[in-house]
């Protein structure tokens, strides 16, 4: 076979022209020790705090501690497959998570990996998990209501779009139920919802997802799960990750609601990581910066200024107390960061008052600004009245004889407490709430037996929708108790009272 010298020369020349040198420069280190979700890595001298690293098998980690001779890395995944001597690459970027419309309706882990078996998330957008909160000049006051559909909350501790309202109470007092009702009530409002489950049992999270599916709420909700079986690093970053997904909508002139269930477990995960990294423990063995851990998270919830699109992110952090101890370290931290709290009390819960909200120490620091005018008028003094009723009730238990005026106040208090009871997963339209609370605060239930109050309310609202729908529409449009609407409500109540049949005493 003869070789053509010209041909060979042209091929070599072509190869020389196309040659590009690729020098693979990357910073690498070596795993010194690994265990309990953290690794100590030698090398990586140029790495920065919060930078991502990659272990063999594609497992990612986060530079957490920068020490003199090594780097402490938290491992975001299965740390059992990493062993001493493995090579670690610095990736030169911050941890980010996929965001956008594609994450709605999905159940994901804090890294954005799907957990619902519905295939990969198709989105080209991502946001950094840690992000600086908007400054004061980039915000505006909270004035739009974020209706939860729960009478007691919307009347006494109203929540506005962009607010942070803490839900606090012992375990099994209905904290998650309030948050889920708030999510269900956002149907057809355009608000995107995010439920971050931290340290919860996987069976509990599955039950929540099923409830959201049954009520058609999953189509506008994303569930971010770092369950009790997930490593501490994933439980620690889950709230930040969920916030990044929610911020996408806030910065795109939309409204979002995020529930952190719960931040006590996130604080415990952070404490675990910090102690493993040998950071000095402080009060209750938490690290000194556990306040910053929660403040930088909750400061990201805000109502943006008109220049930035007037979007909002509302957050409902949940904190679990032990034996009602609200003065413990983490509860006081989060109370001081948030704009109010809904305090749930076990004795009220077991007495059948659900939601078991203590009107005395529950508060919203936005208050009437987050209510429609009609609700503001009918529920103005309700919180103080109920707090006074609780004190009066305690006094009456001493068995002293009460004057008629005090007895009347007690009787109305019992009826208002009954009126504020509400079933689970049954959020109520704010206009229905106004009709209901108007009847209670204006004394129209004073002659109704306490056992009949909820039946009276149910039948009265059915009566309004059937016979006085124009009045309902008028109030929904005006959102205010004009003299015309007030007269209409009074006439409707008088008309209904004549048809209502109370339960006979012997039937009770």
């Amino acid at each position: 076979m003869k070789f053509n010298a010209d041909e060979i020369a042209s091929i070599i020349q072509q190869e020389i022209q196309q040659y590009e040198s690729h020098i693979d420069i990357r910073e690498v280190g070596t795993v010194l020790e690994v265990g309990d979700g953290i690794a100590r890595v030698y090398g990586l001298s140029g790495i920065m705090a919060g930078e991502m690293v990659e272990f063999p098998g594609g497992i990612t980690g986060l530079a957490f501690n920068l020490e003199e001779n090594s780097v402490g890395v938290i491992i975001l995944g299965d740390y059992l497959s990493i062993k001493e001597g493995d090579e670690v690459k610095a990736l030169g970027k911050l941890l980010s998570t996929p965001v956008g419309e594609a994450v709605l309706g999905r159940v994901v882990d804090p890294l954005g990996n799907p957990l619902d078996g519905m295939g990969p998330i198709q989105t080209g957008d991502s946001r950094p998990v840690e992000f600086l909160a908007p400054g004061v000049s980039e915000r505006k006051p909270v004035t739009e209501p974020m209706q939860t559909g729960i009478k007691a909350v919307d009347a006494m501790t109203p929540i506005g779009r962009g607010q942070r309202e803490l839900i606090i109470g012992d375990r099994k007092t209905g904290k998650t139920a309030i948050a889920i009702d708030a999510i269900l009530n956002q149907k057809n409002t355009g608000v995107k919802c995010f439920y971050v489950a931290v340290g919860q049992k996987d069976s509990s999270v599955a039950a929540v997802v099923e409830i959201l599916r049954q009520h058609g709420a999953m189509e506008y909700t994303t569930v971010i799960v770092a369950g009790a079986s997930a490593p501490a690093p994933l439980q620690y970053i889950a709230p930040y990750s969920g916030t990044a997904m929610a911020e996408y909508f806030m910065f795109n002139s939309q409204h979002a609601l995020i529930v952190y269930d719960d931040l006590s477990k996130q604080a415990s995960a952070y404490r675990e990581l910090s102690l493993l990294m040998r950071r000095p423990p402080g009060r209750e063995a938490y690290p000194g910066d556990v306040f910053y851990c929660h403040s930088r998270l909750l400061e990201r919830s805000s109502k943006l200024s008109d220049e930035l699109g007037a979007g909002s992110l509302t957050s409902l952090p949940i904190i679990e107390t032990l034996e009602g101890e609200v003065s413990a370290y983490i509860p006081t931290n989060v109370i001081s960061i948030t704009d109010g709290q809904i305090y749930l009390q076990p004795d009220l819960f077991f007495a059948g008052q659900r939601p078991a909200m203590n009107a005395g120490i529950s508060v919203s620091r936005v208050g009437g600004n987050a209510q429609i005018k009609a609700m503001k008028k009918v529920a103005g003094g309700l919180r103080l009245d109920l707090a006074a009723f609780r004190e009066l009730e305690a006094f009456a238990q001493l068995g002293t004889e009460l004057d008629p005026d005090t007895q009347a106040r007690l009787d109305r208090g019992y009826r208002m407490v009954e009126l504020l009871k509400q079933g689970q997963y049954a959020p109520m339209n704010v206009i229905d709430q106004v009709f209901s609370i108007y009847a209670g605060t204006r004394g129209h239930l004073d002659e109704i037996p306490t056992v009949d109050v909820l039946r009276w309310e149910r039948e009265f609202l059915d009566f309004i929708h059937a016979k006085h729908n124009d009045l309902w529409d008028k109030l929904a449009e005006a959102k205010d108790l004009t003299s015309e609407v007030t007269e209409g409500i009074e006439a409707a109540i008088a008309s209904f009272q004549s048809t209502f049949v109370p339960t006979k005493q012997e039937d009770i």
Side-chain angles (χ1 to χ4, degrees), residues 219-451:
E219 58 200 52
Y220 56 85
T221 304
T222 304
V223 178
I224 297 99
V225 186
S229 59
L234 284 176
Q235 292 188 35
Y236 163 60
I237 66 153
Y240 302 107
S241 197
T243 308
M245 293 179 194
E247 275 177 334
Y248 170 84
F249 295 100
M250 175 175 81
F251 286 112
N252 280 304
S253 307
Q254 296 183 55
H255 303 285
L257 167 69
I258 187 163
V259 175
Y260 305 110
D261 191 6
D262 62 66
L263 291 186
S264 315
K265 303 228 173 34
Q266 191 221 7
S268 299
Y270 186 52
R271 173 169 62 183
E272 183 184 324
L273 291 175
S274 298
L275 292 173
L276 287 166
M277 289 286 186
R278 309 204 60 77
R279 289 185 177 181
R283 179 175 165 189
E284 291 179 28
Y286 286 103
D289 64 343
V290 73
F291 182 93
Y292 179 58
C293 167
H294 287 148
S295 66
R296 76 174 189 267
L297 169 71
L298 293 165
E299 280 301 321
R300 288 162 73 175
S301 299
S302 63
K303 170 69 181 164
L304 293 180
S305 64
D306 292 333
E307 294 76 46
L308 290 176
S312 73
L313 173 56
T314 311
S315 61
L316 297 177
I318 294 176
I319 286 285
E320 187 181 290
T321 53
L322 296 168
E323 297 293 322
E325 191 59 74
V326 287
S327 57
Y329 188 28
I330 301 302
T332 49
N333 277 358
V334 183
I335 285 170
S336 64
I337 294 163
T338 50
D339 311 309
Q341 69 275 347
I342 296 165
Y343 178 57
L344 304 177
Q345 229 172 332
D347 52 350
L348 293 178
F349 185 84
F350 297 125
Q353 187 189 327
R354 294 172 194 179
M357 186 172 125
N358 178 327
I361 63 172
S362 297
V363 66
S364 167
R365 296 191 183 98
V366 171
N369 286 348
Q371 284 175 315
I372 62 170
K373 282 182 180 174
M375 180 61 92
K376 209 168 167 180
K377 284 178 181 173
V378 297
L382 184 58
R383 197 176 75 83
L384 292 174
D385 289 349
L386 272 184
F389 159 72
R390 288 291 172 203
E391 288 183 13
L392 206 55
E393 186 186 28
F395 177 71
Q397 283 173 343
L398 299 172
T400 48
E401 217 169 290
L402 301 172
D403 61 275
D405 182 46
T406 307
Q407 189 60 53
R409 275 164 59 205
L410 259 181
D411 289 345
R412 182 173 294 185
Y414 284 123
R415 283 159 180 75
M416 284 313 299
V417 165
E418 198 65 27
L419 188 67
L420 291 175
K421 288 181 183 176
Q422 198 166 339
Q424 206 173 343
Y425 314 131
M428 201 171 177
N429 187 293
V430 67
I431 304 302
D432 285 347
Q433 291 181 35
V434 170
F435 275 103
S436 171
I437 293 166
Y438 179 94
T441 54
R442 298 295 195 275
H444 294 292
L445 297 176
D446 291 359
E447 303 304 316
I448 304 293
T450 311
V451 291

Side-chain angles (χ1 to χ4, degrees), residues 449-452 502-508:
T450 311
V451 291
D452 282 337
T503 308
K504 293 195 177 98
Q505 199 62 37
E506 55 266 25
D507 295 340
I508 298 171

